[in-house]
């Protein structure tokens, strides 16, 4: 069963995180029909983004990236 972990800047409300997990974000609704997917959300302080996310999850694991980010914080 797939499990997706979303890492985002801290500061989002529980309601915003729940909406993201349901596949509804920024007013766009949608149902994927993928009932077996679970979603976890991890808050990351913006000052820690490069060391906790960009480096270890994006730069160091290029084989796992299926959509590259449009930024480079380094």
């Amino acid at each position: 069963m797939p499990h997706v972990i979303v890492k985002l800047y801290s500061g989002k409300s529980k309601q915003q995180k729940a909406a993201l997990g349901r596949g509804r974000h920024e007013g766009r609704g949608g149902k994927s029909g993928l009932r077996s997917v679970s979603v976890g959300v991890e808050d990351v302080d913006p000052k820690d983004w490069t060391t906790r996310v960009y480096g270890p999850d994006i730069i160091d694991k290029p084989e796992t990236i299926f959509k590259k980010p449009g930024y480079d914080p380094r």
Side-chain angles (χ1 to χ4, degrees):
M1 300 297 146
H3 178 67
V4 177
I5 298 173
V6 177
K7 296 181 182 185
L8 50 87
Y9 278 5
S10 56
K12 300 293 184 195
S13 69
K14 286 186 179 183
Q15 293 81 9
Q16 289 171 310
K17 293 174 187 178
L20 179 64
R22 289 190 307 269
R24 296 188 177 108
H25 185 58
E26 295 178 0
R28 289 175 276 164
K31 293 184 180 178
S32 65
L34 300 174
R35 295 181 188 271
S36 63
V37 175
S38 57
V39 177
V41 176
E42 297 179 9
D43 289 329
V44 178
D45 191 301
K47 68 178 175 47
D48 298 328
W49 189 261
T50 301
T51 57
R52 288 193 48 208
V53 179
Y54 193 79
D57 293 341
I58 297 171
I59 296 301
D60 295 348
K61 298 179 185 174
E63 70 281 359
T64 68
I65 304 300
F66 291 90
K67 184 200 173 292
K68 294 181 181 181
Y71 67 92
D72 185 341
R74 298 174 296 162

